[in-house]
Every structure is written in structure tokens, then in C-alpha cells.
Amino acid sequence: MTSRDQPILEVKNLETHFPLDEGTVVAVNGASFEVMPGKTLGIVGESGCGKSVAARSIMRILDKPGEIVGGEILFRRNRGESSEKVVDIASMDSNSAEIKSIRGGEIAYVFQEPMTSFSPVHTIGNQIIEAIRLHQDISKEGAREIAIHALDAVGIPLAERRLSDYSFQLSGGLRQRAMIAMTLVSNPTILIADEPTTALDVTNQAQLLELMSELQTDNGMAIVLITHDLGVIAEMADHVAVMYLGEVVESAPVDDIFHNPQHPYTKALLKSIPKIRSNSSERLASISGTVPHPYDRPPGCAFGPRCDFFMPGRCDASIPALQEVRPVHQVSCFLYDEGD
Amino acid sequence: MTTTESRLPEERLLEVSDLEKHFPIKQGFLKREVGRILAVDGVNFHINDGETLGLVGESGCGKTTTARCILRAVDPTNGEILFRTREDEVVDIAMLKGAELKKIRSDIQMIFQDPFSSLNPRMTLLDTIGEPLLLNNIGSKHDREERVAELLEMVGLRPEYMRRFPHAFSGGQRQRIGIARALALNPKLVVADEPVSALDVSVQAQVLNLLADLQGELGLTYLFVAHDLSVVKHISDRVAVMYVGKLVEMAPTDELFSTPKHPYTAALLSAVPEPDPRAKSERIILQGEVANPADPPSGCYFHPRCSYATEQCKLETPVLQEITDGHYVSCHRAEELILEGVLAE
Ligand SMILES: Nc1ncnc2c1ncn2[C@@H]1O[C@H](COP(=O)(O)OP(=O)(O)O)[C@@H](O)[C@H]1O
Ligand SMILES: Nc1ncnc2c1ncn2[C@@H]1O[C@H](COP(=O)(O)OP(=O)(O)O)[C@@H](O)[C@H]1O
Ligand code: SF4
Ligand SMILES: [Mg+2]
Ligand SMILES: [Mg+2]
């Protein structure tokens, strides 16, 4: 089928702003990336670079006063009558029936903080059963069976007994699994996981990553994995988008990102992390300065003030565009700009 | 003071023996004690003068409580904490009281994880960094200002920032402020509890480099507590691994990462995802969760998750033993198991 070679989700020049009294926070500033069916897109970047806002823009669950002010979010639908129809999520009303059926149905979202994703006053069982009955016409008993099966599938021991637990009774690792179980009951074609392992220990992280890979093999869903951890990206992603201050600065297959990085930010980031499997304990190559606040975004290339290759008069004069430097490898940096 | 000199070998700055900290679990109207959380349950380790000892383990295994015992932020339930003061006297921190304890406090300082909540938003950098000097009646107002300026410079901040408030600074800068404050009294031992965990990767490298520079310049000794094994490997001379209130292994860094001797250490190391897609290795994926410190398993606390466990492991609690020079392990099978590390030998 040709649709396997076409992106299931295409984000083009997305711009999401938060107009506040103090000024406008440009949280996402023209970001573009694609998600291929059955594959994992890793989105990596330091805190505040717009990863979560981009994800919440796709789900259309932005906090007020956040709004999408530009760009497209093209989603290839695959359910019932609308199968293969491409819709623009960015132009939908955030309360429309269409986005509601996509959200929690075809596209599922797992939060960074699993504590807030379950209601503390209902049992886990009731919440999962409700999620199932929202999308399927099925009896309570039937939904209960599916819920037990889902908890079992994500490796929660004694699944049936857990149905009557409240989320605060579970450990962080189990809560994150239960959250994934709840999203899986709708059989999503895309799972967006926003820092799913950041609050977990390495051992629980390894368990969860393994679970996500298994589920992907079984269900063929695409995963958008958002994280600041380059180790997690290397392990899980097929393709990687590197974000800096609301923009995608480099987008490439995972092997290229780690073995042939092009953007000065990607290069610097890779050099600055200590590596567990290397014998040297030399000084780390640090990146000077800090990520600027999106209020005072520097003119031109946002990475300019921290960049070792900064070209005055060029890099601070205009914003470099994301351009293909090799097949499926895109970079936004004037070092690679042969346009003029 | 206790005569403990003879028991602390010359090269050691600190030696912790059989340290225990139990928190009572109280319930009901009468607040009866119904159980105990064995947060630290018989820990032994030492730190040599001028080195960095890394302390790792999953969350809840007692790292912070161990650190707090050394600082006497909590009172240990049992055990001994021998420390060599700047006057070259050896004291047992666990036994100190009142003025003696206060005196020792300037020798041991702490750097906290969260640079946002650990600084008072209503105090300027001068007040925050100079507070330890003021509390110890050191110097005049003018002397203190000079010292704060010097400290700011030492941690890579401009002395002109002295009269600003912490909200004007980024996470990395706030962590530098916390470091400057910790150094104000010229400590010998700095206990850093997850000092870079809340920082972005690009800033984390700056702070790790700063800590290394300061150690070189000032001859500091660090106890570096963290859950990120890559960071710990980078900064530590030796590493100690904790599991449910107990130390399970301690060795020089390269040795621990190349030839771990405890199954828990090997599993922890193997779980760390490597930032290289070509290096996809076979993982040991530990099943289950960390044991509950209020109700630990019998025998070796790790046995329910250990793939090498035998009958003996369920029945007998292993003790920490030095199996080769400087390599301590607490596992019944330490000498026979051949475990894989993450470094070539
Ligand atoms: N509800 C909000 N109101 C105002 N600003 C916000 C809100 N949510 C996020 N932002 C801002 O948008 C930027 C991007 O945030 P976010 O997407 O959460 O970053 P990341 O997930 O990459 O850490 C940040 O500067 C953040 O402060
Ligand atoms: N003040 C306290 N009162 C009761 N229990 C505590 C207290 N401090 C820590 N604990 C418990 O002791 C155990 C060890 O905690 P901690 O030392 O913070 O571990 P770590 O720093 O390794 O994550 C945990 O089970 C924790 O809940
Ligand atoms: S003592 Fe037994 S259970 Fe404990 S780590 Fe060693 S082999 Fe495993
Ligand atoms: Mg986020
Ligand atoms: Mg801790």
C-alpha cells in the first residue's frame, strides 16, 4: 500500500503563541516535522523549547490563552468513512466533534506527569471502562473485560484487582503503565508520549521503553516520543527532530543525528553529555550561556548567541530556513545555505 | 571529644559504619508506632581526602537520608560517622551535640537539587551567600561583601550581581549561587544531592565542569549523590551503589563500570540507554519494583528481582565484604558470578 510511504501526520510551519499581558510567548515558531505510519519520531530539545506545546497543539488541548496562529497539522484519517481523508487539525474548532473523535481515538497522548492524568476520585477501573465506552458501544461487563486485558497487556500484575485501585495507590512506574493502558483501548494509530519516562528510575524506564516497542510491533502504531534524553532517543527513534526555542533546527534519520549531525546545536548537545560507555573522563564540552526566554528571542538564528560558528551580519540578520542537505536530512543553519 | 583518631586511617576524611536511620510509622489517635521505614539500614563506606565518592541507586533507596545523617540534618538511629576536622581532630558526627556540632557544620556543606526552591526569593545574593558568614560572626560587613564578591567570581558569576534577587537568574546560575553559598565557610566536605538533575543538558555540563575546577583549586572532597549513572561515572573517583537502605557495592569508578560484582549494579548499568543508535545492546530488564523499606524481603533484599538468587539468598542477609583490593560487594555469589559491565576492561 502506498499510504505506508506517506506521512500519517505532517506538521508544517506550526506557530503557537501565548499572548500574555507581559508580551507574547512565541512557544512554537514555525516548526515542521512528519510522522510515518508504524515508525517512531523522536522530538528532542531542552526544557522550554516548545515540545509539549507542539504536542498539545496537535491534540488541540492548549491551555488558555495559547493559540495556533499559523501553519498546518495535516492528519491522514484511517477510521470508517473518513479513511484516507487528509484533514487539517490546525484549522478545526478545538471543540468540534471531528477533533474529539480524533483525540483519544486515533491519536492518543500520554502526559509527562501521570499523577495528573488520572482523576484522584475515581478508581482506575472506572476511568478505563469509561474511556472504552466513549468510543465503543459495549456493555459495562464487556468494557471491564477489555480493561483487564489492557492492564494485563502493559504488564501490570494482578490486573483485575488493580481495577479498584486509585491512581495514588500505584507506584510511578505502574501509574505510567496504567496511563498507557487507558490510551491503548481506543487502538490509536499515533501515540504521542510526552517525556513518559522522565519521572522514572532507569530500571522502570527500561521496562516502559520495552513495553512501548512491543506495543508498536503488535499494533503497528506510530509513536511520537518527546524527551530531553538523547539516550532514550537513540534507543527508540527511527527519525529525530531537534528543537531549539520553538523551531526544528535539524531533522534526520536517527543514525545521521548521532553519527553525522550537521547543526551546530545538535553537535554541541551531543558533545556536552557524559557517556556511560566511554573510558574518558575528560572535561565536558559545554555550551556557553543558556536557552533564552521566548520573550527575548535573539534576532536571526535563535542559537546564534551560543554558537561557535556565528557569522555576524548573516546569522543575526534573518532566520535560516529548514533545508534539505542530504536525502531526508534537513538543517536550518546558514552554514549550509547555498542559496546566495 | 571522643578519642577516635586511631580508628580513622590517615587518608580518609570520612568513614560511615553500620549507619541506620529508621523513621517510625505512626497511626491512630494515640500516634502509636505501627512500623518502621528502614530508610538507611546498616550502611558502611568511606571517603578519602580530596576525592569524589558517587552514591547511586533508584529513588527511595536511602541516598538523601544517608546524606542528611552525615550533615546531621537528621539524627541517625544507630552507627558511627567518623570525620576528620580541619584541626585534624577525628570526631564521631553521630554523637556530637550543641557547640561541637555547630563547629563541625562549617566543615561540611550541602548543595541541593532544586536551584529554584533552595534559594530564598526575598534575599539578595549578598544576603544568601553571606548568611553562613553572618551566622558564624565572621568578618565585618565590608569583609563579607569582599568574600561574597570573591565567591561569585569563583563560581563564574559577576560580582556586580551581588545586590540582585534570585528570580533574575536561570537554573544554572541559581545552582552556581547555591555552590557559592556552600563554599562561603571553606568547607572540607561538600555533599551534593542531585545537584545537576534539574538542569538542562547544556547547562549540566557547565556545572559539572565548575565542580571539577573548584575541587582542583580548593582541594574539596565531594559526596556526589545522583541517580544518573553517566553523570556519576563522569565525576566520581569511586562509586557506591545503594539498594533499599543498604550499600550493595563500592569500587573505583572504572572497575565498577567495567566489572560490576553485584547483580543489581550490573542491571542498573545495563538499563542506561546509550546515546548511540548503533550500540543497541542486550538489556537486562529488571522486573518488578524496588522493595518497600517498611517491609523488606527476607535474606538479600534484592533476591525477588535477582536472576541469580538461590535458596541461601532468601534466607541469609549478605554482608558487605572487600573481595579484591578496594572493591566491596554484598552478595552471596559475588566471587563466582561473572557479570557484564558497560566499559571495556
Ligand atoms: N500555559 C502557558 N502559558 C504561557 N506560556 C506557556 C504555557 N505553556 C508553555 N508556555 C511557554 O511556552 C514555551 C514552550 O513550553 P513547552 O512546550 O512546555 O516546552 P518543553 O515541553 O519543550 O519543555 C515555554 O517558554 C513556556 O514557558
Ligand atoms: N522524613 C521522613 N519521614 C518518613 N520517611 C522518610 C523520610 N525521609 C525519607 N523517608 C523514606 O525513606 C526512604 C528513603 O528515602 P530517601 O533517602 O529520600 O531516598 P533517595 O534519596 O534514595 O530517593 C523512602 O522510603 C522515603 O519515603
Ligand atoms: S545475594 Fe543472591 S539474591 Fe542477592 S544479589 Fe547476590 S545472588 Fe542475587
Ligand atoms: Mg514539556
Ligand atoms: Mg534523594
Side-chain angles (χ1 to χ4, degrees):
Chain A
M1 278 230 314
T2 56
S3 70
R4 299 292 305 174
D5 315 323
Q6 288 176 348
I8 184 169
L9 183 76
E10 219 176 327
V11 173
K12 289 183 168 173
N13 302 315
L14 178 68
E15 289 178 52
T16 304
H17 292 180
F18 289 87
L20 306 179
D21 292 342
E22 310 89 283
T24 295
V25 178
V26 181
V28 180
N29 190 28
S32 301
F33 51 85
E34 290 177 355
V35 181
M36 299 303 285
K39 299 279 190 216
T40 299
L41 170 73
I43 300 184
V44 66
E46 296 179 278
S47 59
C49 70
K51 305 182 294 296
S52 296
V53 170
R56 298 176 77 86
S57 301
I58 296 170
M59 299 305 286
R60 298 302 305 271
I61 50 167
L62 289 168
D63 294 330
K64 293 228 157 55
E67 55 180 347
I68 297 176
V69 298
E72 292 170 305
I73 301 172
L74 303 178
F75 175 54
R76 185 177 302 277
R77 299 207 63 178
N78 64 334
R79 291 278 154 90
E81 312 156 19
S82 29
S83 193
E84 293 298 309
K85 191 173 123 194
V86 176
V87 295
D88 180 9
I89 292 178
S91 64
M92 288 176 192
D93 184 305
S94 61
N95 278 315
S96 64
E98 189 169 23
I99 186 66
K100 280 184 184 158
S101 85
I102 293 174
R103 181 163 67 208
E106 288 156 80
I107 308 182
Y109 183 46
V110 181
F111 293 76
Q112 179 163 358
E113 184 34 80
M115 202 62 185
T116 55
S117 46
F118 279 110
S119 152
V121 296
H122 299 287
T123 62
I124 290 190
N126 280 342
Q127 292 179 68
I128 300 180
I129 289 166
E130 204 163 296
I132 296 168
R133 297 187 74 198
L134 199 66
H135 295 283
Q136 286 179 49
D137 189 11
I138 188 171
S139 73
K140 247 197 162 130
E141 259 319 296
R144 199 182 130 84
E145 285 302 309
I146 297 178
I148 294 171
H149 184 77
L151 289 176
D152 206 47
V154 297
I156 293 185
L158 309 171
E160 188 161 4
R161 265 204 252 160
R162 294 286 183 221
L163 289 182
S164 49
D165 280 354
Y166 292 88
S167 62
F168 59 81
Q169 293 175 299
L170 301 184
S171 69
L174 285 186
R175 215 182 291 131
Q176 197 59 291
R177 280 167 184 263
M179 176 74 206
I180 288 184
M182 184 153 88
T183 64
L184 288 179
V185 293
S186 65
N187 224 340
T189 46
I190 303 181
L191 172 66
I192 303 180
D194 190 351
E195 307 263 9
T197 62
T198 300
L200 303 180
D201 282 312
V202 273
T203 53
N204 285 322
Q205 168 170 284
Q207 291 172 2
L208 198 83
L209 296 180
E210 186 191 46
L211 170 69
M212 285 175 45
S213 304
E214 282 171 11
L215 293 171
Q216 183 170 47
T217 312
D218 295 349
N219 307 1
M221 67 190 174
I223 297 178
V224 179
L225 180 61
I226 297 175
T227 177
H228 65 277
D229 186 327
L230 287 157
V232 171
I233 288 283
E235 170 135 344
M236 297 290 289
D238 297 297
H239 193 92
V240 182
V242 181
M243 286 189 75
Y244 189 77
L245 216 60
E247 290 160 29
V248 172
V249 295
E250 183 156 9
S251 166
V254 68
D255 196 74
D256 268 15
I257 288 289
F258 287 88
H259 291 283
N260 193 13
Q262 302 291 312
H263 196 283
Y265 176 60
T266 314
K267 289 183 186 175
L269 206 53
L270 285 167
K271 278 198 207 127
S272 71
I273 45 170
K275 294 175 190 68
I276 195 169
R277 286 172 182 81
S278 86
N279 266 317
S280 80
S281 53
E282 283 166 26
R283 259 182 105 68
L284 296 168
S286 65
I287 308 177
S288 64
T290 48
V291 182
H293 194 275
Y295 283 136
D296 20 65
R297 141 188 307 279
C301 170
F303 187 59
R306 306 177 75 192
C307 181
D308 287 340
F309 304 92
F310 181 73
M311 298 173 281
R314 182 111 198 261
C315 301
D316 48 2
S318 59
I319 299 178
L322 196 63
Q323 292 186 351
E324 194 134 288
V325 290
R326 296 148 46 94
V328 291
H329 191 152
Q330 299 167 312
V331 183
S332 73
C333 169
F334 287 120
L335 291 172
Y336 304 95
D337 192 14
E338 284 144 21
D340 50 352
Chain B
M1 294 220 175
T2 16
T3 51
T4 36
E5 266 90 76
S6 53
R7 284 189 287 136
L8 188 63
E10 219 178 312
E11 70 281 6
R12 296 187 182 178
L13 179 65
L14 182 88
E15 183 163 312
V16 172
S17 309
D18 304 319
L19 182 68
E20 291 180 6
K21 177 63 192 176
H22 298 173
F23 293 106
I25 308 171
K26 291 185 175 154
Q27 240 171 37
F29 177 65
L30 295 171
K31 294 267 173 264
R32 249 180 348 112
E33 186 177 321
V34 293
R36 300 187 129 210
I37 298 168
L38 313 181
V40 178
D41 192 26
V43 159
N44 297 282
F45 65 85
H46 63 269
I47 310 180
N48 295 326
D49 200 3
E51 76 168 352
T52 299
L53 178 74
L55 184 60
V56 298
E58 288 169 280
S59 58
C61 69
K63 304 182 296 296
T64 295
T65 307
T66 301
R68 287 167 58 84
C69 286
I70 293 170
L71 292 148
R72 277 295 293 276
V74 291
D75 294 336
T77 311
N78 267 312
E80 197 177 60
I81 305 170
L82 298 186
F83 178 73
R84 193 183 303 282
T85 67
R86 67 182 83 195
E87 286 88 27
D88 210 17
E89 259 177 310
V90 177
V91 295
D92 179 0
I93 295 176
M95 302 295 288
L96 295 184
K97 291 190 188 71
E100 283 180 346
L101 185 59
K102 191 170 176 216
K103 198 163 147 234
I104 200 84
R105 285 227 156 100
S106 57
D107 279 353
I108 308 178
Q109 292 290 316
M110 177 105 175
I111 302 171
F112 298 92
Q113 166 172 6
D114 188 350
F116 291 90
S117 61
S118 59
L119 298 176
N120 184 335
R122 277 179 288 277
M123 281 164 72
T124 63
L125 301 202
L126 174 61
D127 294 340
T128 293
I129 299 170
E131 190 179 47
L133 300 167
L134 190 65
L135 293 177
N136 284 277
N137 297 317
I138 297 173
S140 64
K141 188 160 177 281
H142 178 77
D143 294 341
R144 281 198 298 275
E145 273 185 31
E146 272 188 1
R147 175 74 178 140
V148 170
E150 182 187 27
L151 287 161
L152 282 171
E153 223 153 334
M154 218 185 261
V155 299
L157 292 172
R158 304 235 294 271
E160 304 90 272
Y161 291 165
M162 199 184 288
R163 312 213 179 260
R164 297 197 189 171
F165 292 90
H167 70 83
F169 296 91
S170 68
Q173 289 172 322
R174 287 184 211 206
Q175 201 52 294
R176 289 172 193 268
I177 298 168
I179 295 171
R181 181 185 154 97
L183 297 181
L185 295 174
N186 262 324
K188 293 185 73 181
L189 176 65
V190 173
V191 177
D193 192 358
E194 307 270 5
V196 298
S197 309
L199 303 179
D200 274 317
V201 252
S202 70
V203 178
Q204 169 182 294
Q206 298 168 6
V207 174
L208 290 173
N209 286 341
L210 172 66
L211 288 172
D213 292 346
L214 291 170
Q215 182 166 47
E217 283 163 37
L218 306 172
L220 297 170
T221 303
Y222 292 139
L223 174 61
F224 191 97
V225 178
H227 67 276
D228 185 327
L229 288 139
S230 313
V231 167
V232 165
K233 170 174 166 288
H234 177 79
I235 197 148
S236 309
D237 299 300
R238 292 187 307 122
V239 175
V241 183
M242 275 188 91
Y243 187 73
V244 198
K246 288 190 190 294
L247 210 70
V248 296
E249 185 161 7
M250 177 165 71
T253 305
D254 283 349
E255 193 170 323
L256 189 103
F257 283 76
S258 60
T259 49
K261 293 287 179 194
H262 196 286
Y264 178 62
T265 309
L268 263 191
L269 294 180
S270 136
V272 178
E274 173 158 28
D276 180 359
R278 291 183 191 170
K280 274 174 191 157
S281 56
E282 277 308 305
R283 283 261 126 80
I284 310 167
I285 297 197
L286 270 190
Q287 298 307 321
E289 308 266 322
V290 180
N292 178 359
D295 182 22
S298 63
C300 170
Y301 288 0
F302 187 57
H303 90 257
R305 300 173 85 188
C306 179
S307 46
Y308 304 97
T310 62
E311 241 353 81
Q312 187 195 14
C313 305
K314 288 185 203 160
L315 302 172
E316 292 167 30
T317 307
V319 290
L320 194 70
Q321 282 181 319
E322 188 168 8
I323 57 162
T324 55
D325 196 22
H327 197 146
Y328 301 78
V329 194
S330 144
C331 165
H332 294 306
R333 306 190 58 191
E335 314 223 20
E336 65 180 284
L337 294 177
I338 297 175
L339 304 170
E340 211 167 307
V342 289
L343 280 184
E345 276 172 63

